[in-house]
Amino acid sequence: QFFVFCHGLLQLSQLLVSGYLKSSISTIERRYGLSSQTSGLLASFNEVGNTLLIVFISYFGSRVHRPRFIGCGAILVSLAGFLMSLPHFITGPYEYDQSVASMFSNTTDLCQPGVPGPRGNLSDVGCTPHAARENHEVLLVMFIAQALLGIGGVPIQPFGISYIDDFASERNSPLYLGILFSVTVIGPGVAFMLGSAMLRFYVDIDKVTGDDVQLTNKDPRWVGAWWLGFLVAASLVAISAVPYFFFPREMPKEVGKRDFPLVLLRNLRHPVYLLVVLAQVNLSAMVAGLATFMGKFLERQFSLTASLANMIIGAVNIPGAMVGIVVGGAILKRFQMSLRQCSAMCVLGMFLCLLLAFPLLFLGCPTQKVAGVTYSESSEFGHHTLECNLQCNCPEKAYNPICGSNAIEYISPCSAGCRVVNTNADNNAVLNYTNCSCISENGLAGFAKPGTCGTGCSHLFLPFVVLSCLAGILASTSHTPSFMLILRSIQPEDKSFAVGIQFMLLRVLAWMPGPVLYGSAIDTTCILWEKKCDRKAACRYYDNNLFRQR
C-alpha cells in the first residue's frame, strides 16, 4: 500500500512537469518569440524519447530491479524539470516597448515629430549575433529537457503497474490500479491550476523590483513567471523519487516466452482491434492539440488572462472529462454490455458530442479593430502607415497596444499619433495617452488607454465553456467501452502486448503530431507577426474567426 501511495505521488508530480508546460505554452511563446508550430513541436517532443524506449522496457520488464529503475527514471524527470526553467536564468530580463523611459531604455514609443528618421527601438537590440545565439540556446535547452522528460518517464508507468499487479492480491489489484489511473487523469488538472497560480507573478520577479514593472497581467505583453512552476514540479518529483531506492526487488512470477513479430501481426490483422485503435488515434490527436492550445484559444477569443484560461481548463474541462470516463464505466458495469452494445455506445457518445460541439464554430467574435492591421479608415494608405502619424517617425516594430476612445486599437501610442503620456505619480503606471492625432472625436484629438480593446466577446464565454464541457463529458463516455472492445476482441494471452502496441500507435500517430498540426493550423491564421532579426517570432494578432473555425 505504501508503494501504491508513492507511485500515485510520483505519477502526479511527473504529470505536473509535462502538463505544466502545456499550461504555460502561450507565455513561453510570447517570452521567446516562438510560432505555435514550434511550441507544438516542443510540447510533444517528450513523446519522442518515450516511444523510442517503451518497447524495449516492456520487453525487459521482468529481468531488472524495477523500483530502482523507476527511481532513476524519476531523477531524470526531475532533472528535465529543472532544465526547463534554466532558460529564464541564462537569458537577460524580458524586454518590451515602453512609453515611459525606464532603467531598460530611454527610447519611448510616443509620437515625437522632432526626432529625425525612423527611430530604433528595443526590438532591434535583439539582433546582435549574441542575442540570436541566446535564442537558439533557449530552444536547444528546452528540447533536450523535453527529450529527457520522455526518457525518464518510460519506466515509471509500466514497471509500477506490473510491480503492483505482481505483488497485490488478486482482489485488491484492480482497486490499486484504479487509484493510479484516476491520478493520471487528475494530474493535468492540477498542472493547469499550478499554471494559473504561477502566471499571476511577473516573469522577472527575481530580477527587477515591483516598481519597475509597468505591465499588469491584463496587458497583452504581460509574461508570467512560467519558470516557477517547473521548479515546484521538479522538486516534487525529486522528493517522490527517494523511497524507490529502498523498495525490495522481489522475484516476479515468470512468464512463458513468446514470439515478438508473430503476435504483432496477429493483432494488427484483427479488424476490430485495428478500427478501435484508429478511432482512438483520431480522438487522441484532437485531445492532444486541444490540451496544448485550448488556453491560447480562450485567451485570444474571449480576451482572458493566461491565468484565468488555465483556471477554467483545470477546474471545468478536465474534471468534466473525468466525470465522462466514470459515467461510461458505470453504464458498462450496470448493463453488462456485449461487444456490439459497447460499440453502439461509443458511436452514440461521439454523435452527441458532435451535435453539442457544432455550435462552438459560431461562438466567438471577429478580431477587434486594429488600425492598419485589421482595419483602415482610408484604404488608399498602405499597411501600417496612417496619414495622421506620418510626421511621428514611428519605430517600425513597436508593440505596446492601446485602445482609443473611438474603440479602435492601435499597435503603439506612436501609431495613434499620441504625444502625451500621463502616469500615476506613485508607481509610474500609465493612466492614459492624450493628444492623439489619429483618434479624432468630433474634430478634437482623442485619448487612449493602455492595453488591448478586447474582443467584446465576454457574453459568449459562459455558453462556450458549458457546451465544450458537455461535449467533453459525452466524448469521454466512450473511453472505457472502447478499451473493453480491445481487451475482449483479442486472445487473452496477447492482452498486455496488445495494449502496449495500442499505446505506441497512439503516441506515434496522435500525441506527437497532434500539437504540431494544431500549431501549424493556428499559425496560418496569423495577421501580424512579431519580427525578430527578420525572422517570424510570435504572433501579435490572429484572425479570430479563422482561428476558431480551423
Side-chain angles (χ1 to χ4, degrees):
Q1 284 171 338
F2 183 58
F3 185 88
V4 173
F5 170 75
C6 289
H7 207 63
L9 198 63
L10 176 60
Q11 282 200 322
L12 182 68
S13 21
Q14 179 203 358
L15 281 163
L16 270 186
V17 179
S18 56
Y20 181 77
L21 173 67
K22 289 181 166 43
S23 79
S24 52
I25 202 92
S26 64
T27 300
I28 293 175
E29 277 182 18
R30 192 173 300 155
R31 172 66 183 87
Y32 293 110
L34 311 178
S35 69
S36 291
Q37 189 178 20
T38 309
S39 68
L41 184 61
L42 179 67
S44 63
F45 202 68
N46 57 331
E47 304 292 354
V48 176
N50 206 311
T51 312
L52 294 177
L53 290 175
I54 198 99
V55 179
F56 293 107
I57 292 281
S58 313
Y59 198 68
F60 289 118
S62 51
R63 310 193 188 122
V64 293
H65 191 307
R66 285 174 292 185
R68 218 167 269 170
F69 254 72
I70 295 174
C72 295
I75 291 199
L76 266 186
V77 169
S78 145
L79 188 70
F82 286 122
L83 262 184
M84 280 303 291
S85 66
L86 183 65
H88 171 73
F89 300 101
I90 56 176
T91 54
Y94 171 52
E95 297 177 337
Y96 50 89
D97 301 327
Q98 291 173 318
S99 311
V100 183
S102 75
M103 54 179 265
F104 286 134
S105 72
N106 49 10
T107 62
T108 76
D109 49 17
L110 289 173
C111 179
Q112 297 167 314
V115 181
R119 306 200 303 275
N121 71 324
L122 289 177
S123 317
D124 293 334
V125 180
C127 269
T128 55
H130 169 72
R133 196 175 68 239
E134 197 175 63
N135 222 5
H136 286 296
E137 281 165 12
V138 165
L139 273 180
L140 189 65
V141 168
M142 287 186 154
F143 273 99
I144 290 173
Q146 278 289 88
L148 276 184
L149 179 63
I151 293 167
V154 168
I156 294 178
Q157 210 169 0
F159 282 3
I161 288 175
S162 64
Y163 191 84
I164 290 169
D165 203 40
D166 282 353
F167 304 124
S169 68
E170 309 278 278
R171 212 183 72 216
N172 288 343
S173 180
L175 170 71
Y176 294 150
L177 296 180
I179 292 173
L180 287 185
F181 183 68
S182 62
V183 167
T184 55
V185 183
I186 295 167
V190 181
F192 276 97
M193 300 301 255
L194 178 68
S196 174
M198 295 303 168
L199 295 180
R200 288 187 187 144
F201 300 109
Y202 181 65
V203 61
D204 290 322
I205 196 168
D206 57 333
K207 297 180 188 171
V208 300
T209 53
D211 306 341
D212 286 321
V213 182
Q214 296 175 10
L215 300 178
T216 65
N217 65 2
K218 303 250 187 316
D219 193 293
R221 293 164 301 159
W222 170 267
V223 168
W226 59 272
W227 49 277
L228 254 178
F230 285 115
L231 296 183
V232 173
S235 314
L236 272 176
V237 175
I239 295 165
S240 330
V242 175
Y244 283 94
F245 294 99
F246 303 102
F247 282 110
R249 172 178 182 158
E250 297 230 5
M251 272 315 294
K253 299 172 199 153
E254 201 38 57
V255 184
K257 293 273 183 292
R258 219 186 306 153
D259 231 4
F260 197 79
L262 249 172
V263 186
L264 177 66
L265 277 175
R266 189 161 66 208
N267 284 332
L268 287 182
R269 276 214 318 270
H270 199 299
V272 176
Y273 176 77
L274 206 58
L275 283 169
V276 175
V277 170
L278 283 177
Q280 286 184 337
V281 161
N282 279 308
L283 190 63
S284 301
M286 183 188 81
V287 171
L290 276 180
T292 310
F293 292 116
M294 178 76 156
K296 185 185 175 80
F297 176 78
L298 293 176
E299 287 169 44
R300 297 292 180 149
Q301 280 291 328
F302 304 107
S303 312
L304 306 183
T305 62
S307 173
L308 181 59
N310 284 334
M311 185 84 163
I312 295 292
I313 295 170
V316 179
N317 289 70
I318 291 178
M322 288 170 64
V323 168
I325 291 174
V326 172
V327 167
I331 294 175
L332 263 193
K333 197 177 167 185
R334 171 82 185 73
F335 297 112
Q336 296 287 312
M337 293 183 154
S338 67
L339 284 188
R340 185 158 285 169
Q341 286 169 317
C342 276
S343 62
M345 183 176 155
C346 291
V347 170
L348 184 68
M350 288 299 155
F351 178 68
L352 290 173
C353 166
L354 279 179
L355 276 184
L356 275 184
F358 186 67
L360 296 182
L361 272 173
F362 309 103
L363 284 182
C365 313
T367 314
Q368 61 268 39
K369 289 179 173 173
V370 184
V373 181
T374 60
Y375 171 85
S376 61
E377 282 171 345
S378 53
S379 48
E380 69 258 24
F381 287 104
H383 207 48
H384 290 317
T385 48
L386 303 158
E387 190 178 29
C388 51
N389 65 18
L390 280 181
Q391 81 278 27
C392 294
N393 304 320
C394 294
E396 204 183 328
K397 304 175 197 163
Y399 180 64
N400 175 7
I402 58 170
C403 185
S405 47
N406 55 359
I408 293 174
E409 190 170 317
Y410 295 83
I411 303 178
S412 69
C414 186
S415 65
C418 300
R419 301 179 186 215
V420 182
V421 58
N422 302 309
T423 55
N424 184 333
D426 303 334
N427 60 2
N428 251 359
V430 174
L431 295 174
N432 64 4
Y433 298 92
T434 50
N435 212 347
C436 308
S437 48
C438 292
I439 309 171
S440 55
E441 283 182 303
N442 329 328
L444 299 166
F447 66 94
K449 287 195 173 61
T452 163
C453 287
T455 49
C457 238
S458 42
H459 59 292
L460 294 174
F461 179 52
L462 194 62
F464 183 92
V465 169
V466 171
L467 276 179
S468 69
C469 181
L470 287 174
I473 292 176
L474 285 167
S476 338
T477 52
S478 65
H479 185 276
T480 317
S482 68
F483 261 105
M484 281 301 135
L485 278 172
I486 283 180
L487 291 176
R488 288 190 196 154
S489 67
I490 52 190
Q491 292 166 341
E493 69 269 20
D494 293 350
K495 248 183 222 176
S496 60
F497 194 71
V499 173
I501 296 288
Q502 172 203 8
F503 273 111
M504 203 185 86
L505 287 172
L506 282 180
R507 281 219 163 86
V508 175
L509 299 175
W511 296 106
M512 275 190 217
V516 184
L517 290 171
Y518 264 70
S520 310
I522 291 173
D523 281 344
T524 60
T525 66
C526 185
I527 333 174
L528 179 65
W529 288 96
E530 165 197 12
K531 287 273 196 297
K532 268 194 181 164
C533 321
D534 300 329
R535 71 171 182 85
K536 285 197 297 196
C539 184
R540 301 279 197 215
Y541 292 105
Y542 292 97
D543 179 330
N544 273 350
N545 286 336
L546 281 180
F547 187 168
R548 186 175 63 250
Q549 289 154 3
R550 286 185 190 168

